[in-house]
Amino acid sequence: MTLGAVIPVYNHGEAIGAVAAAVRAHGLPVLLVDDGSEPGCASVLQVLAAAADSQVQLLRLAQNQGKGGAMVAGFRRAAELGWTHVLQIDADGQHDAADIPRFASLSAANPAHLICGCPVYDDSVPKARLYGRYATHIWVWINTLSLAIRDSMCGFRIYPLAPTLALVNDVSIGRRMDFDTDIAVRLFWRGMRFINQPTAVHYPTDGVSHFRALRDNVRISAMHTRLFFGMLPRAPLLLWRRWTRPA
């Protein structure tokens, strides 16, 4: 098992240095994916990648492709680097890097599973976003006919790279705020098992959020609709797997 971290970055120049250092403190190589950031953030990323520690690499995307687009590009580069598993963690510092050893240990013991962060929020979480997540939880349980995915929106997780790369090469996955849920549901459809790991989440250290309520809620609603109609022909298999396969 070769685990590395892919961090999609879009204008989080103030926070990314601390995030990358926190990941490196646990011995993981880091791939920073610059998702078309403005020059100030781009220069910060260049400095981080040019430092003496060669375990921090930089992949630049000429134009902003969204979190999903950056992660897909990161998956492909990770495969070129010989990684077998990818840790995804957000660039804004909201995730607790102290939990990386726990996630990594679970992944090492269960290499075919997706280790999925299950957020434990503090008072910094915007209440509208906290309550809005429950609608997505319900849709995910409908679209998987299962409660196996406790929180599909958390961007702190470890992917087995080979089946994940096979999926993104076969299917168009949501490229923006719909990415985390879309890829989780589709991996579940393909038979991947999930381990839900509680983890503390704090919003965000640099005050930068790229969530746009109207635009992103419309995009997420459209994704749930597509997934629902994709679930229908899969329903017999999903139900059969639910009753015949141990959790």
Side-chain angles (χ1 to χ4, degrees):
M1 176 177 175
T2 304
L3 175 64
V6 171
I7 309 179
V9 187
Y10 179 56
N11 295 339
H12 284 292
E14 294 185 10
I16 186 56
V19 173
V23 175
R24 285 292 302 126
H26 296 290
L28 296 188
V30 172
L31 174 62
L32 304 172
V33 183
D34 179 2
D35 190 23
S37 296
E38 51 84 21
C41 179
S43 65
V44 169
L45 299 179
Q46 186 65 48
V47 169
L48 290 173
D53 185 351
S54 63
Q55 292 299 301
V56 177
Q57 299 192 41
L58 177 61
L59 171 62
R60 290 198 185 278
L61 304 182
Q63 296 181 331
N64 177 261
Q65 297 184 26
K67 179 181 183 179
M71 282 303 304
V72 169
F75 288 146
R76 290 178 175 143
R77 178 60 61 85
E80 294 172 0
L81 294 171
W83 298 359
T84 62
H85 290 72
V86 165
L87 170 77
Q88 174 187 338
I89 188 169
D90 283 0
D92 59 7
Q94 68 174 277
H95 298 138
D96 187 357
D99 282 340
I100 289 175
R102 188 175 305 146
F103 277 61
S105 178
L106 285 169
S107 186
N110 304 275
H113 288 58
L114 193 153
I115 313 303
C116 193
C118 191
V120 178
Y121 292 106
D122 62 15
D123 292 338
S124 67
V125 60
K127 293 300 185 286
R129 293 189 64 180
L130 177 62
Y131 301 143
R133 296 175 81 90
Y134 286 97
T136 282
H137 296 342
I138 292 169
W139 271 113
V140 166
W141 298 335
I142 292 170
N143 289 333
T144 59
L145 299 179
S146 169
L147 301 178
I149 305 175
R150 297 292 300 277
D151 189 303
S152 69
M153 301 182 76
C154 183
F156 188 18
R157 49 179 65 165
I158 294 179
Y159 297 90
L161 183 55
T164 302
L165 198 55
L167 173 68
V168 301
N169 286 337
D170 288 347
V171 179
S172 178
I173 302 293
R175 286 301 201 251
R176 297 191 179 272
M177 292 298 181
D178 48 353
F179 167 76
D180 291 322
T181 296
D182 199 7
I183 194 169
V185 170
R186 293 180 184 277
L187 285 170
F188 181 87
W189 285 352
R190 290 195 169 199
M192 186 172 290
R193 299 192 186 194
F194 284 65
I195 295 177
N196 299 288
Q197 174 58 45
T199 184
V201 174
H202 175 80
Y203 271 77
T205 60
D206 62 0
V208 177
S209 172
H210 300 304
F211 186 84
R212 299 294 178 264
L214 179 59
R215 179 194 66 188
D216 289 318
N217 281 324
V218 168
R219 181 176 287 117
I220 289 169
S221 296
M223 172 201 65
H224 289 313
T225 301
R226 290 193 302 273
L227 291 175
F228 176 75
F229 286 104
M231 175 274 294
L232 292 177
R234 294 176 171 88
L237 175 61
L238 294 172
L239 289 170
W240 177 84
R241 193 185 344 171
R242 177 176 176 178
W243 296 114
T244 62
R245 192 174 77 174

